[in-house]
């Protein structure tokens, strides 16, 4: 698959547009995979309550396969997005197949790019474990590990460290690929522009360095923020019900 050179703006514009469309379609697929893993977790919990271990195992195997598929989609999105952003026309023919393979390999070498989907499998296993072992660490894990990883939400910081706004209210959220903290895009880019090249994440006690091209809206971020909104709404509803129950008892 090759392409002859053409006017710079025309080629770059078409490549960028095509890349944007493909990435959007891929993110829609990843979102559907995420919804499926959430549904399978809920069904798995019901089967675990009924002590149907065979069905739980089948569901876990299904989640494993979905996570692998999600990882592949993430690498594809990363490769496509990188080509759309970095491609420069040249006098020589461009071998897009070779270029794409190179981008995919680079994405797969970056382990942090797939860590979010791996958490989905952990969430499934923790939810199943908690049915009969509430408050106990899973085998091979310390209690601190269970506390540090929520089975309900994978977002690390509830508010943007620069604006103070809740993550669920950010106009254009982005996340560091290295430390996974989330920021308002306009605020963090301004923060990066006005300081030295090597600066720390503005989240208190985070030791990670920030680099502009490693701060982005990854395929999972908007989905996780939507899940956080739903979780907050469920907690608020539960709080209202508890208040009414308390009033009736009084």
């Amino acid at each position: 698959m090759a392409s002859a050179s053409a006017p710079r703006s025309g080629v770059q514009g078409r490549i960028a547009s095509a890349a944007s469309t493909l990435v959007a379609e891929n993110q829609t697929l990843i979102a559907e995979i995420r919804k499926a893993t959430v549904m399978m977790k809920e069904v798995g919990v019901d089967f675990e309550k009924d002590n149907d271990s065979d069905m739980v195992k089948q569901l876990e195997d299904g989640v494993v396969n979905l996570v692998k598929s999600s990882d592949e989609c993430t690498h594809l999105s990363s490769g496509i997005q990188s080509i759309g952003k970095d491609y420069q026309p040249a006098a020589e023919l461009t071998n897009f197949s070779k270029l794409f393979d190179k981008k995919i390999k680079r994405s797969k070498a970056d382990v942090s790019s797939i860590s979010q989907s791996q958490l989905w499998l952990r969430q499934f296993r923790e939810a199943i474990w908690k049915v009969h072992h509430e408050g106990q660490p899973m085998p091979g894990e310390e209690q601190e590990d269970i506390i540090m990883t929520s089975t309900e939400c994978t977002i690390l910081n509830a508010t943007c460290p620069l604006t103070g706004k809740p993550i669920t209210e950010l106009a254009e959220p982005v996340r560091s690929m290295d430390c996974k903290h989330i920021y308002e895009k306009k605020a963090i880019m301004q923060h990066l522009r006005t300081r030295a090249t090597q600066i720390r994440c503005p989240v208190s006690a985070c030791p990670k360095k920030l680099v502009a091209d490693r701060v982005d809206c990854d395929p999972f971020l908007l989905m996780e923020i939507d899940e956080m909104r739903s979780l907050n709404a469920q907690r608020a509803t539960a709080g209202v019900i508890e208040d009414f129950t308390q009033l009736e008892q009084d």
Side-chain angles (χ1 to χ4, degrees):
M1 180 170 57
S3 171
S5 64
R8 182 176 294 267
S9 60
V11 169
Q12 286 178 315
R14 291 196 295 273
I15 292 292
S17 177
S20 178
T21 299
L22 290 171
V23 169
E25 291 176 353
N26 225 18
Q27 288 183 326
T28 299
L29 178 57
I30 292 172
E32 291 303 316
I33 292 175
R34 174 54 175 161
K35 290 177 184 177
T37 63
V38 171
M39 179 186 68
M40 291 166 77
K41 179 180 68 175
E42 294 171 351
V43 174
V45 167
D46 289 337
F47 279 125
E48 182 67 13
K49 290 177 180 177
D50 293 337
N51 296 311
D52 192 338
S53 57
D54 289 339
M55 287 303 300
V56 171
K57 183 61 171 63
Q58 289 183 42
L59 285 168
E60 180 176 343
D61 291 343
V63 172
V64 169
N65 289 330
L66 286 176
V67 165
K68 290 179 181 178
S69 297
S70 178
D71 290 345
E72 289 299 320
C73 287
T74 300
H75 294 313
L76 287 172
S77 288
S78 178
I80 293 168
Q81 196 169 38
S82 182
I83 290 175
K85 178 182 177 182
D86 301 335
Y87 173 72
Q88 295 288 337
E92 297 180 355
L93 293 174
T94 299
N95 188 326
F96 280 104
S97 179
K98 185 176 180 180
L99 179 61
F100 187 63
D101 288 342
K102 180 180 178 180
K103 297 292 187 181
I104 293 295
K105 288 180 181 178
R106 183 177 299 174
S107 176
K108 289 184 176 181
D110 183 4
V111 178
S112 66
S113 68
I114 64 170
S115 61
Q116 291 304 113
S117 64
Q118 295 295 336
L119 285 175
W120 301 350
L121 178 57
R122 180 185 175 91
Q123 289 174 343
F124 177 90
R125 288 171 174 166
E126 286 185 359
I128 299 302
W129 175 258
K130 287 174 65 177
V131 171
H132 299 301
H133 307 86
E134 181 68 40
Q136 301 177 32
M138 290 195 298
E141 295 184 336
E142 299 296 330
Q143 183 66 32
E144 290 78 6
D145 295 329
I146 299 298
I147 294 173
M148 289 298 293
T149 305
S150 170
T151 60
E152 298 177 318
C153 184
T154 55
I155 291 178
L156 297 184
N157 52 307
T159 61
C160 171
L162 297 173
T163 66
K165 288 184 178 180
I167 297 302
T168 54
E169 297 179 12
L170 298 185
E172 196 172 1
V174 291
R175 175 159 51 194
S176 166
M177 294 170 61
D178 298 307
C179 65
K180 303 302 180 184
H181 287 125
I182 301 167
Y183 329 92
E184 180 70 80
K185 182 176 181 179
K186 184 176 180 180
I188 194 63
M189 291 307 170
Q190 179 67 21
H191 183 74
L192 290 169
R193 282 194 297 268
T194 57
R195 284 163 176 77
T197 54
Q198 292 291 323
I199 63 171
R200 282 186 179 181
C201 168
V203 172
S204 177
C206 181
K208 294 291 186 178
K209 303 292 184 180
L210 284 184
V211 182
D213 62 4
R214 292 185 64 79
V215 177
D216 198 7
C217 184
D218 61 70
F220 307 118
L221 182 53
L222 297 182
M223 289 182 283
E224 291 167 9
I225 290 176
D226 283 340
E227 289 175 7
M228 189 176 190
R229 290 193 186 101
S230 298
L231 182 61
N232 289 343
Q234 291 171 12
R235 287 173 175 169
T237 301
V240 171
I241 294 173
E242 185 176 348
D243 289 342
F244 276 117
T245 302
Q246 186 64 41
L247 286 173
E248 289 178 356
Q249 291 175 348
D250 292 343

